[in-house]
């Protein structure tokens, strides 16, 4: 039995370009499934820095699925992750908040973060 299989691509009628499988889920139009950074993200980061001691920032690169993010890690290992616009913006916030900012892809994460996560598993 001979079955002919054809690939069918939907056309985006507004742009006249082929629509990929994940395009309809993209909120930013660049293929990412994630939303961008918001004022709520910045507010959360600021509150984390103000209410914990010894906070350090680890900037994580953008991926195909997520925006650029930053992980803030307190001295006791407690951590939080939020979206950021770009690394330069996070470096400026680091200067403003007087916290060190690292590139997570280069430095990795401190052991205290893993230890805290292990202690606080649900």
């Amino acid at each position: 039995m001979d079955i002919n299989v054809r690939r069918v691509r939907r056309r985006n009628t507004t742009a006249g370009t082929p629509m990929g499988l994940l395009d309809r889920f993209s909120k930013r139009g660049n293929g990412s499934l994630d939303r961008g950074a918001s004022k709520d993200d910045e507010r959360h980061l600021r509150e984390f820095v103000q209410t914990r001691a010894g906070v350090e920032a680890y900037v994580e690169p953008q991926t195909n699925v997520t925006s650029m993010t930053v992980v803030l890690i307190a001295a006791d290992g407690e951590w939080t992750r939020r979206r950021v616009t770009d690394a330069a913006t996070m470096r400026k916030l680091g200067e403003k908040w007087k916290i060190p900012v690292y590139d997570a892809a280069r430095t990795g994460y401190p052991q205290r973060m893993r230890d805290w996560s292990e202690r606080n598993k649900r």
Side-chain angles (χ1 to χ4, degrees), residues 55-69:
V55 176
E56 298 175 333
Y58 292 81
V59 178
E60 300 173 314
Q62 178 178 346
T63 68
N64 290 334
V65 180
T66 60
S67 303
M68 182 173 286
T69 54

Side-chain angles (χ1 to χ4, degrees), residues 15-108:
T17 57
M19 178 181 275
L21 175 63
L22 300 177
D23 289 346
R24 72 174 43 196
F25 301 110
S26 175
K27 292 184 178 186
R28 296 182 311 164
N30 65 358
S32 174
L33 298 177
D34 199 15
R35 68 172 174 81
S38 70
K39 289 292 182 188
D40 289 337
D41 293 326
E42 185 179 337
R43 183 173 32 257
H44 175 81
L45 295 173
R46 184 179 61 249
E47 288 173 5
F48 189 89
V49 169
Q50 291 172 344
T51 58
R52 281 128 181 120
V55 176
E56 298 175 333
Y58 292 81
V59 178
E60 300 173 314
Q62 178 178 346
T63 68
N64 290 334
V65 180
T66 60
S67 303
M68 182 173 286
T69 54
V70 65
V71 176
L72 296 183
I73 306 172
D76 66 353
E78 182 181 2
W79 61 274
T80 188
R81 175 180 286 120
R82 289 294 185 274
R83 293 159 191 85
V84 291
T85 308
D86 54 42
T89 301
M90 190 57 228
R91 295 205 184 283
K92 288 178 186 174
L93 288 174
E95 288 177 15
K96 179 179 177 181
W97 297 337
K98 295 179 178 50
I99 62 171
V101 178
Y102 304 105
D103 180 355
R106 292 180 139 197
T107 64

